[in-house]
């Protein structure tokens, strides 16, 4: 079964009562049993079944099965948001005295957990320069319980070699976790590169329509189960309604991603030649610093890019407000194009100097390519650049 088929068919079937062609939304908090012994067996986890929707739910299970198959994993579980997936995973494995190695360029919320929360619980956090694989290997070798990666990163699309770092992590027995939100399972399967667990903010490309939030985790069964047991008590569970929306979105995931991969490449090439554009960050461009690694570990370069205008932040304001086919909004991975300046959105809490240290120019624009016609998007960008 190829990915597009798996996205449509996996998880479906058991719930399709009376010949329904889609799985229903099961909005039941609890599940009843006539046989107390059968109930007991499910409660003990000895047979499959549903007890209470904070643990799991039939509609949610359909979605979990889809990500399990698409990521080639033994097991999968779900969360109320992407950040719930990340925080539950980190807090499951990182207790007092443990050491985590990660990147300076992780998603803003993740970075906050590393810098503000984990140290309070006595966890030793080491964040390395994102593209310095040598430093990462050295820090991993010093002792590491969990290696946390994200690739490509936000907003400059830095690329990290998962296989190389997973090999280093294996030597010291660390659990390797990769946030695969930007790439999606269509373009990248971290488990095949040696990761133990893969995380998604399902809010983004998987849902794909900016209308539901969720988080997913897939990987080695014993590790997924540990996080699941933490989450079922902690309570950051996914509800049936958003689970249905995300599973519905995932049925068209490959179609959307193929379009977004192609459009992003076309737009990145166009921007690269434009005199008002100083720099373009897209892993599909040969000039991108992570291009060689991306070529090896990704089967498509994705729908996310960023570019710096040749000028100040004033120019960014003028350009963005001149665009027609875009929502100036946070988030990414939707059918509609979304854009915004990292300086005043994702990286607003950093000083200009901190942004410079991460290689984020003040005139940077993050652009999440939608599924609109690429000629319309190009024309729109061209007219907006023409106004500068
Ligand atoms: C959005 C995002 C998250 C957080 O997901 P939420 O669903 O908003 O909680 C985590 N990682 C990456 C890379 C993201 O883009």
């Amino acid at each position: 079964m190829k990915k597009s088929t798996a996205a449509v068919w996996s998880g479906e079937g058991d719930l399709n009562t009376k010949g329904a062609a889609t799985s229903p939304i099961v909005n039941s908090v609890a599940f009843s049993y006539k046989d107390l012994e059968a109930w007991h067996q499910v409660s003990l986890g000895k047979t499959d079944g549903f007890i209470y929707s904070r643990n799991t739910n039939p509609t949610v299970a359909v979605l979990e099965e889809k990500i399990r198959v698409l990521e080639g994993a033994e097991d999968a579980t779900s969360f109320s948001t992407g950040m719930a997936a990340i925080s539950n995973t980190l807090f499951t494995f990182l207790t007092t005295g443990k050491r985590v190695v990660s990147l300076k360029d992780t998603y803003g919320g993740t970075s906050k957990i590393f810098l503000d929360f984990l140290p309070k619980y006595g966890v030793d956090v080491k964040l390395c320069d994102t593209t310095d694989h040598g430093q990462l290997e050295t820090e991993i070798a010093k002792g590491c319980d969990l290696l946390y990666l994200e690739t490509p990163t936000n907003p400059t699309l830095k690329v990290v070699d998962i296989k190389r770092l997973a090999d280093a992590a294996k030597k010291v027995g660390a659990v390797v976790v990769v946030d695969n939100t930007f790439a999606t399972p269509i373009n990248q399967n971290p488990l095949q590169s040696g990761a133990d667990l893969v995380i998604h903010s399902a809010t983004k490309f998987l849902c794909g329509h900016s209308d539901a939030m969720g988080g997913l985790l897939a990987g080695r069964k014993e590790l997924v189960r540990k996080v699941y047991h933490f989450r079922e008590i902690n309570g950051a569970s996914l509800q049936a309604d958003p689970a249905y929306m995300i599973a519905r979105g995932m049925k068209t995931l490959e179609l959307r991603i193929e379009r977004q991969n192609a459009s992003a490449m076309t737009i990145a090439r166009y921007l690269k030649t434009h005199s008002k554009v100083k720099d373009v960050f897209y892993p599909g461009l040969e000039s991108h610093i992570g291009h060689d690694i991306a070529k090896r570990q990704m089967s498509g370069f994705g729908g996310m890019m960023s570019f710096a205008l040749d000028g100040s932040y004033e120019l960014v304001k003028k350009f963005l407000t001149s665009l027609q086919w875009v929502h100036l909004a946070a988030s990414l991975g939707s059918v509609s194009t979304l854009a915004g300046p990292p300086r005043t959105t994702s990286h607003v809490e950093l000083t200009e100097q901190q942004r410079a240290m991460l290689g984020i120019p003040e005139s940077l624009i993050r652009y999440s390519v939608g599924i609109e016609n690429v000629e319309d998007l190009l024309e729109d960008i061209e007219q907006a650049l023409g106004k500068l």
Side-chain angles (χ1 to χ4, degrees):
M1 194 166 50
K2 299 276 198 298
K3 284 177 182 173
S4 49
T5 312
V8 173
W9 286 100
S10 50
E12 310 277 338
D14 293 357
L15 295 175
N16 299 7
T17 53
K18 299 188 190 294
T22 65
S23 299
I25 303 171
V26 181
N27 273 328
S28 185
V29 165
F31 299 86
S32 63
Y33 290 84
K34 292 204 169 69
D35 176 344
L36 292 186
E37 197 42 43
W39 184 6
H40 189 211
Q41 291 303 308
V42 176
S43 294
L44 292 173
K46 291 197 171 146
T47 49
D48 284 342
F50 300 95
I51 299 285
Y52 188 61
S53 282
R54 172 154 42 74
N55 312 341
T56 183
N57 162 289
T59 309
V60 171
V62 171
L63 172 65
E64 291 171 341
E65 178 63 5
K66 285 191 195 299
I67 197 67
R68 187 191 74 74
V69 175
L70 286 178
E71 287 289 11
E74 289 172 5
D75 202 359
T77 189
S78 60
F79 306 83
S80 52
T81 63
M83 277 317 302
I86 293 165
S87 60
N88 278 271
T89 302
L90 292 174
F91 282 102
T92 295
F93 297 108
L94 296 170
T95 48
T96 305
K98 302 271 188 191
R99 184 164 194 263
V100 54
V101 175
S102 188
L103 316 168
K104 284 184 183 162
D105 285 78
T106 53
Y107 178 75
T110 311
S111 188
K112 274 237 169 303
I113 295 180
F114 286 139
L115 296 171
D116 295 352
F117 297 168
L118 286 171
K120 279 191 217 156
Y121 296 94
V123 174
D124 181 12
V125 178
K126 179 67 199 179
L127 303 185
C128 300
D129 287 337
T130 302
T131 52
D132 190 343
H133 288 78
Q135 186 198 7
L136 277 154
E137 282 171 332
T138 305
E139 291 299 335
I140 292 164
K142 280 185 195 164
C144 171
D145 297 288
L146 189 138
L147 172 67
Y148 186 93
L149 304 175
E150 188 178 319
T151 181
T153 64
N154 181 31
T156 55
L157 287 298
K158 288 174 191 160
V159 178
V160 178
D161 190 332
I162 300 169
K163 171 139 200 336
R164 178 172 164 183
L165 298 174
D167 285 348
K170 293 274 141 70
K171 286 186 194 137
V172 296
V175 173
V176 181
V177 184
V178 178
D179 181 335
N180 201 28
T181 301
F182 268 40
T184 81
I186 303 301
N187 286 332
Q188 179 171 274
N189 288 123
L191 301 178
Q192 280 169 21
S193 300
D196 299 300
L197 293 168
V198 54
I199 288 180
H200 286 279
S201 166
T203 312
K204 315 291 172 53
F205 288 98
L206 299 186
C207 173
H209 295 70
S210 293
D211 54 6
M213 302 193 85
L216 292 167
L217 176 76
R220 279 174 46 201
K221 189 174 181 105
E222 84 184 273
L223 302 177
V224 172
R225 285 290 101 190
K226 273 190 189 159
V227 184
Y228 163 76
H229 286 303
F230 188 81
R231 188 271 287 153
E232 69 166 320
I233 300 306
N234 162 308
S237 309
L238 184 65
Q239 303 271 305
D241 282 300
Y244 178 83
M245 302 283 272
I246 296 163
R248 186 184 206 267
M250 280 176 73
K251 292 177 188 176
T252 57
L253 181 65
E254 192 186 65
L255 285 173
R256 288 185 283 110
I257 296 299
E258 279 174 355
R259 166 65 75 98
Q260 286 163 316
N261 284 345
S263 297
M265 192 74 221
T266 304
I267 293 167
R269 286 215 176 102
Y270 167 78
L271 289 168
K272 189 81 191 151
T273 61
H274 203 286
S275 61
K276 301 264 172 57
V277 177
K278 197 164 63 185
D279 223 335
V280 184
F281 301 94
Y282 185 64
L285 293 175
E286 271 112 55
S287 55
H288 188 76
I289 49 160
H291 179 67
D292 287 338
I293 303 168
K295 232 171 37 185
R296 272 203 310 276
Q297 85 185 4
M298 302 177 82
S299 52
F301 299 112
M304 293 303 301
M305 71 173 71
S306 60
F307 51 96
L309 297 179
D310 193 9
S312 67
Y313 181 63
E314 284 310 304
L315 229 52
V316 171
K317 279 201 229 167
K318 180 116 201 255
F319 172 77
L320 284 176
T321 53
S322 302
L323 288 171
Q324 184 181 6
W325 305 126
V326 71
H327 287 296
L328 302 183
S331 200
L332 56 102
S334 184
V335 288
S336 48
T337 297
L338 299 158
R343 178 185 185 276
T344 57
T345 56
S346 57
H347 292 72
V348 66
E349 287 175 37
L350 273 56
T351 63
E352 187 167 339
Q353 197 192 3
Q354 285 171 321
R355 281 192 293 271
M357 275 166 61
L358 289 174
I360 301 171
E362 296 298 287
S363 66
L364 192 73
I365 290 158
R366 192 182 75 175
Y367 194 82
S368 168
V369 182
I371 63 165
E372 301 93 338
N373 184 292
V374 70
E375 283 169 32
D376 287 334
L377 295 179
L378 277 176
E379 218 169 90
D380 193 26
I381 291 171
E382 191 167 15
Q383 63 80 21
L385 285 173
K387 292 201 172 128
L388 305 183

